[in-house]
Amino acid sequence: HRHLLGIEGLSPLDIAILLDLADEAVEVSRQVEKKRSTLRGRTLINLFFEASTRTQSSFELAGKRLGADVMNMSVASSSVKKGETLIDTAMTLNAMRPDIIVVRHAQAGAVHLLAKKVDCAVVNAGDGAHEHPTQALLDALTIRRNKGKVAGLIVAICGDILHSRVARSNILLLSALGARVRAVGPSTLLPAGLKRMGIETFTDMKAGLRDADIVMMLRLQRERMQGGFIPSAREFFRFFGLDEAKLAFAKPDALVMHPGPMNRGVEIDSAVADGAHSRIREQVEMGVAVRMAVLEALAQHLPNG
Ligand code: CP
């Protein structure tokens, strides 16, 4: 593969290879000297049109740990503010001869469009409500390292599924690896077509969490709800917020995950977010490793790579 635009298009073998590479990258990142030279001489540009804490910083660290020169494009102070289009911005950066561009954009499909125009490898760091492939890979890595496998596990993805690229990429990836994926949330936030994809749907948390191995919480994506139904935070927490009482319906050794950013007291209670079942901090560590793995895999297809 020349780009990583989504989980769609990756085979279970592609996914397994990336997760194996990421396991090695975890070891590199835990050493005092964290550097490899796979991307020495290469240039990586982070181009984020939407806010990010985890994804942007972990791509920057991943690139640097592999020896690349990393440039973070500051979109907020760029000529995008003067009306320059996505494609003109991308072509301008392309002319500076980067090897890899990592892109986040509010429009689904924007990253695919950009990938058709530029000469370098492109990584999708989230496009609208469409895909966030490196998030799904880091979630699978976290699950695999804790449970030893993904196949056969019951994974309950809970909350605002409708607007979530994380949910979509996770559904594709976890299903490809043989997990039993459930979607749990208010009917207004469950997209049509889940059943056709083999996903069980639940509008009741207790039923949806029963015997789950993994409970994956998602925030309400208010920025994507223009004109639609917006639940109140207090009511959402009462019915769909993960607290210890609701978590008790999952398996005793269930893991709690959240891609971040969290809204404590809305979709997740602090006691659970910071509790013994939580793997939320570990997910962040796995995020750097997975992004190192993705960059290393793409490097094999770069010209003269
Ligand atoms: N999970 C995730 O994509 O977080 P950021 O928006 O902070 O990058």
Side-chain angles (χ1 to χ4, degrees), residues 51-56 104 132 135 259-261:
S52 170
T53 295
R54 282 147 284 266
T55 312
Q56 182 168 344
R104 170 171 287 189
H132 190 353
Q135 180 70 46

Side-chain angles (χ1 to χ4, degrees), residues 5-57:
L5 303 179
I7 298 300
E8 196 166 16
L10 293 186
S11 68
L13 181 62
D14 292 330
I15 294 165
I17 290 169
L18 286 171
L19 297 184
D20 289 348
L21 272 175
D23 270 328
E24 288 174 29
V26 174
E27 298 313 314
V28 173
S29 291
R30 286 181 178 177
Q31 289 161 14
V32 176
E33 170 70 48
K34 299 176 174 61
K35 285 253 180 180
R36 274 187 179 178
S37 57
T38 323
L39 287 182
R40 193 164 58 205
R42 302 292 191 175
T43 301
L44 183 153
I45 297 180
N46 270 329
L47 178 58
F48 280 60
F49 292 87
E50 275 193 328
S52 170
T53 295
R54 282 147 284 266
T55 312
Q56 182 168 344
S57 55

Side-chain angles (χ1 to χ4, degrees), residues 4 62 66 82 89 108 113 115 126 142-143 163 200 225 234 249 258 275:
L4 176 66
L66 295 173
K82 301 175 189 166
T89 303
L113 181 67
T142 307
I143 294 170
H163 301 101
E200 289 180 276
M225 290 183 188
R234 187 203 293 242
F249 286 86
H258 194 309

Side-chain angles (χ1 to χ4, degrees), residues 135-246:
Q135 180 70 46
L137 287 162
L138 78 87
D139 289 339
L141 183 67
T142 307
I143 294 170
R144 197 176 81 163
R145 288 174 67 94
N146 277 275
K147 297 287 186 187
K149 61 174 185 178
V150 174
L153 297 179
I154 298 178
V155 182
I157 305 179
C158 308
D160 180 1
I161 316 282
L162 179 65
H163 301 101
S164 176
R165 54 197 178 207
V166 174
R168 200 181 134 71
S169 289
N170 262 308
I171 285 169
L172 292 168
L173 192 156
L174 294 168
S175 301
L177 295 190
R180 287 174 55 193
V181 184
R182 298 174 178 172
V184 189
S187 54
T188 47
L189 295 177
L190 294 175
L194 285 171
K195 288 202 177 98
R196 246 185 294 119
M197 296 169 78
I199 308 303
E200 289 180 276
T201 59
F202 297 84
T203 53
D204 176 67
M205 281 286 272
K206 289 174 189 165
L209 263 51
R210 200 176 299 280
D211 296 328
D213 296 285
I214 309 291
V215 183
M216 197 179 278
M217 301 308 300
L218 301 171
R219 75 182 170 92
L220 292 170
Q221 307 232 339
R222 294 177 191 281
E223 72 273 29
R224 300 191 214 287
M225 290 183 188
Q226 293 99 336
F229 168 72
I230 303 182
S232 82
R234 187 203 293 242
E235 203 173 23
F236 189 83
F237 183 69
R238 186 166 156 225
F239 291 104
F240 295 100
L242 185 68
D243 55 15
E244 283 173 339
K246 294 192 192 83

